[in-house]
Structure formats: structure tokens, C-alpha cells
Amino acid sequence: MMNAATSGVPMVHADRVSKSFGSNEVLKSISLSVPQGEVMCLVGPSGSGKSTFLRCINHLERVDAGRLSVEGVLVGYEERGDKLYELKPREAARQRRDIGMVFQRFNLFPHMTALENIIEAPIRVNKVKKEAAVAHAQELLARVGLAGKADAYPAHLSGGQQQRVAIARALAMEPKLMLFDEPTSALDPELVGEVLDVMKGLAESGMTMIVVTHEMGFAREVADQLVFMDGGVVVESGDPDQVLGNPQHERTKAFLSKVL
């Protein structure tokens, strides 16, 4: 049987996705595609719709128009006839299991150790046996450079360490797609590199990733596709060297002149 990777189905496909909050149209007919195993970086000014788009991919926000699919399957909705019906919360949550998300704030459980934070969802949601979950968590902690921190509580970890635990926690669910919403913007500058290094390793391992970021060096080095958003639309997208080195649109040029 052909799987999605061999059949050429993109990991994420957005077709004319729109989203409003009240009278504020945050996403205006966004169409994007992320092939399996590729990294897309979304850049642009605050309020351009990047984080909202990310949240729509795992149905933390409902789309108002258009379609979003992951590996060819509609996210948050099912089609009956020519109409879309929203999935029940439990079904939407089941879809979300395959999509890891790392937020700007680490969102770790403060009363749990690093290890406990990582094993919680696999045991509770995926019904993984504790022994197996612990072994996998220890592997993941080593992978993110925190092998000695299994028993540390979040309050005793730096921001960079907490974010790396958050990445390990997302990976513990063995997602097919990872979403990062400005994962380094809450960190002290000297801690940014350690988180970006983990993300680079993930990209090298073939993980499909969509990253909202202000780190242009990371985007240039790691992204297969760089997308500049402003005012809820995709202004420009393409190869990172091309977009950063030779932007075609005045809005892109104006933005990059401030951040590069």
C-alpha cells in the first residue's frame, strides 16, 4: 500500500484558509503546502497571522473558510456531501496526537519533574506502559542534551532547558509533524542557541516542521521554504536565500531591512 510520503501527498496543505476574530480578519485566503520531511519557517511582523495559522493546523483555532489537511486528511472537520462538519472534541483531540506543538512559553507542569512532564501524555493518552515511557523519555532527554536533568523540576531549570524539555515532551508522542510557535522569543539571548541546535537536529532527522520565528539565521540555514506573512496574507515565499537575499516585494524588503 502506498503511504503518504511515497504518493506525494504533502504533510500540510492549506487551501484558501481564512480566519477572523470578530471583525478582524487575521488570515485572508492562505494557501501553502509543506512536503513530507521539509521545514517551513514563517516570518513577519507581530500580528501578521503566523501564530494563528499554526494554531489552525492542529485545530486549536477553527478556520472560517478554506481547508487545511495533514497527510491528506482534513483537520478538525469531516466532509459529508459537499458540506464540512466539525469533528467532536474527542475526535479532534485524537487528530492532534500526531501533531507536536511547542509554544513560546514552555507550559511545563511546575509540580512535575522533567521526566514526569515527558511521560504524562504517552501513559495517559497513548496508554504506553510506564517502564517503556520512562525509557523513551530518558532517550529524549539525552537527545535534547539534558540527560542529567530527569529529576529536576521546571523552577530549577533555565528557560532554554525548560524549552528543551518541552520539545522532548512533544516528541514523546511520536508526532509526524512538529509546530513551533516562536520557541526562542521568551529566552535570554545566550540560551537561544541551545534550543535552535535541538531543532536543527530534528530537521536533519527528517522531521516535518513549521516554525514561526524571528531567528533569520536559523531560517536561512534550516528552512526548505521561507514564508513572509504580513496583514494575514502570504506576501512572498520561496527558498530562504532567495527571499532573504533578493526579496521581490517592497513589504518584504522593508521588514527585512529592520531585522537583518
Side-chain angles (χ1 to χ4, degrees):
M1 186 176 149
M2 247 198 321
N3 65 23
T6 55
S7 64
V9 174
M11 178 61 80
V12 177
H13 184 64
D15 179 25
R16 295 166 295 177
V17 168
S18 296
K19 170 70 184 174
S20 296
F21 296 106
S23 61
N24 181 20
E25 196 178 5
V26 182
L27 298 176
K28 302 170 185 173
S29 199
I30 298 278
S31 293
L32 290 171
S33 211
V34 185
Q36 307 257 346
E38 290 202 359
V39 178
M40 174 187 278
C41 283
L42 301 176
V43 303
S46 295
S48 56
K50 308 181 301 293
S51 295
T52 299
F53 178 66
L54 213 61
R55 292 171 67 83
C56 288
I57 293 170
N58 60 6
H59 203 57
L60 290 175
E61 299 288 357
R62 293 185 185 91
V63 302
D64 296 328
R67 291 157 178 262
L68 253 174
S69 56
V70 172
E71 277 195 327
V73 177
L74 273 176
V75 173
Y77 294 87
E78 63 178 346
E79 196 166 15
R80 291 185 229 141
D82 57 354
K83 284 197 172 162
L84 295 182
Y85 295 87
E86 190 170 10
L87 296 178
K88 293 186 171 72
R90 179 173 286 186
E91 291 165 345
R94 194 173 295 131
Q95 277 191 337
R96 212 174 278 130
R97 283 183 204 174
D98 291 331
I99 304 172
M101 187 153 184
V102 177
F103 298 89
Q104 189 172 344
R105 297 277 167 197
F106 327 119
N107 293 358
L108 297 176
F109 298 118
H111 60 290
M112 293 182 180
T113 64
L115 185 86
E116 288 166 345
N117 265 283
I118 295 167
I119 66 175
E120 175 77 1
I123 291 172
R124 261 178 203 262
V125 179
N126 285 357
K127 309 300 180 202
V128 174
K129 294 237 172 10
K130 185 174 182 182
E131 194 176 319
V134 168
H136 189 210
Q138 285 169 333
E139 284 171 20
L140 289 169
L141 282 168
R143 184 175 176 182
V144 299
L146 294 172
K149 298 293 186 182
D151 297 327
Y153 286 90
H156 300 138
L157 297 171
S158 71
Q161 290 170 330
Q162 289 185 60
Q163 192 62 297
R164 285 186 281 154
V165 172
I167 293 171
R169 180 176 64 178
L171 292 174
M173 294 295 281
E174 304 196 325
K176 57 193 177 190
L177 168 67
M178 285 286 285
L179 308 176
F180 292 88
D181 190 6
E182 299 191 22
T184 59
S185 62
L187 300 178
D188 292 332
E190 69 268 23
L191 303 177
V192 167
E194 62 192 43
V195 173
L196 294 181
D197 284 343
V198 169
M199 292 168 65
K200 284 175 195 168
L202 273 182
E204 285 161 11
S205 75
M207 175 65 77
T208 312
M209 295 161 51
I210 303 179
V211 185
V212 172
T213 186
H214 296 294
E215 301 292 336
M216 296 300 160
F218 172 83
R220 188 190 290 269
E221 185 182 345
V222 178
D224 297 287
Q225 197 178 160
L226 183 70
V227 175
F228 170 63
M229 288 178 66
D230 192 17
V233 300
V234 172
V235 177
E236 190 163 348
S237 66
D239 177 86
D241 283 332
Q242 175 68 34
V243 176
L244 294 174
N246 186 24
Q248 300 300 301
H249 292 260
E250 291 307 319
R251 284 156 86 191
T252 319
K253 289 176 189 171
F255 173 75
L256 292 176
S257 72
K258 296 184 181 118
V259 297
L260 287 179

